[in-house]
Structure formats: C-alpha cells, structure tokens
Amino acid sequence: MSEQHLRASPISATVDFEADGVQHGFLRLPYSRDDSAWGSVMIPITVVKNGEGPTALLTGGNHGDEYEGPIALFDLARTLDLAEARGRVIIVPAMNYPAFQAETRTSPIDKGNLNRSFPGLPDGTVTQKIADYFQRVLLPLADIVLDFHSGGKTLDFLPFCAAHILPDKAQEAKAFEFVKAFGAPYSMKMLEIDAVGMYDTAAEEMGKVFVTTELGGGGSATARTAAIAKRGVANVLRHAGIIQGEIEAEPTTWLDMPSGDCFAFAEDGGLIEFLVDLGEAVERDTVLARIYPVGRTGVKPFEVRSKMKGLLTARHYPGLIKPGDCCAVVAVPV
C-alpha cells in the first residue's frame, strides 16, 4: 500500500462508535472554500448501540437525488428505541451530503459520483475523502450493509430490493436471505454494468453482506415507495437480530438480470415516447419506445427494442433523451 493510502482520514466523527446509547452527530470533513476559509462538510450520522451483537450500516443519499433512503433513515434515526436494540446500528441518511443538499446525483463541489469513487483517497477530492472514510472506518465495523437507491432524476424503477451474484456462495446466500426479509414488491438478482469503484464492490470484497434497492425514481418519492423503504429497513434489522418482532413483508416477485441484453441504450437523442409501462410483459424484439428527432418535423422516429423476454423493470424518466443514455431495463421473472 502506498504512503498516500496510509495517511489518516481528515474526517472526524462527533460520535463514539463503541459507546452504548443513542448518539446523533456528524462526520466533519474540513473544506476550505470562498465563503468559509475554515469551513466543513457536516454529514449527519446516528449511532444506536446496546451491548454486544451485530452491526448494521444503513446508508442513503449515495446519489443526492434519490430520496426513499434518506426519508426512511432520517425517520429511523429519530424513532429507533435503544431498549429494543441488541447490537449496533450506524445510520447515515445522506452519504454524499453535498450532492444531497444540491439535489443532484453527483457532488456540486467536485462532480464526484460517490458510488464510483471507492476506495477513495484521504487527500483527494471531497468525494474521494468521503469514500475513503467509509472504506477504512465504517465498512470494517459492519456485518450487514443496506444502501438505499432509486432512479434519481433520470430513471424510474419497479420498487425492488437486490443483491449480487458473488463468487462466495455462502456470502451470496446470506445477502439474498436479507433481500427476502426486506420484503419489497420485487426482489432482484442484480447485474452491475459498471462495478468499478462502487460502494457495493468495496463492501462485498470485505466479505460483508450487502443489500441494495431501487425504489422508484423521477427525482422524488411517493407515499408507497417511502413506506416500502421504512418497512424494509425494519425487516432487515429484525432479520439481523438487532431488533425483535415479526418480519412484515408483502409477496415479492423474484427477477433476474442474466446478461447485458437486459439493457437498452439510446443511439439517437430526442423526444422519447414509451409504448410499454413499468411492470408490463414484453417479448424479444418488442418496441419499448420511440425516440423522435426534434430538429425538424416529418422524420421517422428511432425504435428502441427489447433484446429479451421479460418485464419492463426500469425506464428513462425525463421526456428528452441523449445518445448513450440508458433507455430501458428488462428483467426476467424467476
């Protein structure tokens, strides 16, 4: 390991991860800027610890325009009863806090995508420093990691909980037990198209049980998706044995993303018209959407077709699309 990677993190916590009790505080990252020479990024954090037991690391706002996770975790941070807990819960509702405050996917400070910045650098950009702290301080403390995602401003998903296919089948099996316990309407065997630098990968390479979600999108949250997130995180804590009680799950439909053929990308830009809605069944070669050129009238639209049979699981959200954007995702019911 290089000398650079051995440097201490500049982030300091105002909470004690080893102390019993309920603590609300911050991860303080020094950030000198025009409007505050000795300023800081203050990332809210809650630690609930009651004796010995497993540790759950619960995170949202990895991307700043995804809201079900922050809603569920800000709520959990104020309502989790210490007397009901056995073990430790670390709650970070908005990991990439600058992005969360700006309502953007990436940081307004350095344009950093936190979920592509691991393992991070202690003397890198603001986003790399946050990733480094999670990599070297928080992830090693965890037994189970639940990281909430949704589609943000550019995608919309069927609400699902997911884990990855892993080389370690025992680790994989534990992850899918937690997916089942989460109890989302859909449960996914997830294929990542861009795993380099991801929080997921960092946790899984440490041998942690890692579970994630995609709970809607469009840059907002609905009453339904927020309720799924709240119920799901409580179910994960129950399954881990950190809180007591029966798991409250609705029936789930299991989905698989077996190959890159699940994804459809726009080859032209323009105005997008979906011909299929989320959750609808499609066949191979079904026209999922049309993309109309907007520079002139009378031009035939480009057709986006499914490469496989399945359910439309995700779709581009805004009305205009650019070349290279993910247009749609089709998954296979298991």
Side-chain angles (χ1 to χ4, degrees):
M1 185 177 291
S2 69
E3 180 182 350
Q4 184 180 45
H5 283 79
L6 290 173
R7 291 175 182 169
S9 171
I11 294 177
S12 59
T14 67
V15 295
D16 181 350
F17 295 108
E18 303 304 324
D20 279 1
V22 177
Q23 303 171 74
H24 303 290
F26 300 93
L27 303 177
R28 189 182 72 83
L29 169 57
Y31 170 48
S32 179
R33 55 193 190 269
D34 288 341
D35 64 346
S36 185
W38 284 4
S40 301
V41 174
M42 304 289 281
I43 304 172
I45 186 171
T46 291
V47 180
V48 178
K49 186 174 184 294
N50 189 1
E52 299 300 316
T55 293
L57 174 58
L58 310 175
T59 53
N62 194 331
H63 296 130
D65 61 350
E66 302 173 3
Y67 297 106
E68 283 82 1
I71 288 170
L73 296 182
F74 274 112
D75 185 63
L76 181 70
R78 72 178 182 87
T79 59
L80 184 57
D81 187 347
L82 177 66
E84 294 182 356
R86 294 294 181 270
R88 179 171 52 185
V89 184
I90 301 171
I91 305 170
V92 185
M95 291 173 70
N96 194 344
Y97 197 64
F100 176 73
Q101 288 182 301
E103 302 178 278
T104 54
R105 179 177 176 84
T106 62
S107 174
I109 297 172
D110 55 23
K111 299 301 179 185
N113 182 340
L114 182 57
N115 210 30
R116 302 294 186 274
S117 298
F118 283 80
L121 290 169
D123 57 354
T125 67
V126 165
T127 303
Q128 289 172 330
K129 290 173 181 175
I130 295 171
D132 172 74
Y133 187 84
F134 273 83
Q135 177 87 31
R136 291 198 289 158
V137 178
L138 295 184
L139 281 177
L141 297 175
D143 299 296
I144 167 70
V145 182
L146 170 58
D147 184 39
F148 281 100
H149 286 265
S150 57
K153 293 178 180 177
T154 63
L155 290 170
D156 195 12
F157 285 89
L158 291 178
F160 66 76
C161 184
H164 297 114
I165 305 299
L166 299 172
D168 184 331
K169 293 305 173 184
Q171 181 186 10
E172 176 188 301
K174 289 179 182 178
F176 281 111
E177 288 173 7
F178 275 96
V179 171
K180 181 180 179 181
F182 187 98
Y186 295 86
S187 298
M188 179 72 76
K189 295 182 178 181
M190 191 81 169
L191 172 70
E192 287 292 354
I193 60 172
D194 181 17
V196 176
M198 293 188 72
Y199 183 44
D200 315 30
T201 306
E204 289 161 351
E205 287 180 347
M206 290 184 189
K208 308 300 181 181
V209 175
F210 187 92
V211 178
T212 189
T213 69
E214 296 289 357
L215 298 178
S220 186
T222 66
R224 177 174 180 248
T225 55
I228 292 168
K230 290 181 180 182
R231 186 185 66 232
V233 69
N235 283 340
V236 163
L237 294 178
R238 292 185 184 110
H239 186 69
I242 295 173
I243 63 173
Q244 304 304 306
E246 295 294 322
I247 288 176
E248 301 174 3
E250 64 181 85
T252 192
T253 298
W254 282 87
L255 301 172
D256 188 15
M257 296 170 63
S259 74
D261 285 346
C262 297
F263 298 90
F265 294 92
E267 296 180 7
D268 291 306
L271 174 67
I272 189 165
E273 175 197 10
F274 276 92
L275 306 181
V276 179
D277 284 326
L278 288 177
E280 290 187 7
V282 301
E283 300 293 327
R284 179 182 173 86
D285 210 38
T286 295
V287 179
L288 302 174
R290 300 188 186 107
I291 300 174
Y292 293 88
V294 294
R296 64 177 66 242
T297 58
V299 179
K300 183 179 179 180
F302 173 78
E303 292 182 339
V304 178
R305 295 178 178 268
S306 173
K307 298 177 184 176
M308 61 192 300
K309 180 179 180 179
L311 297 182
L312 184 64
T313 303
R315 50 151 285 180
H316 184 77
Y317 191 77
L320 297 179
I321 193 167
K322 297 183 292 296
D325 285 353
C326 182
C327 177
V329 179
V330 174
V332 180
V334 178

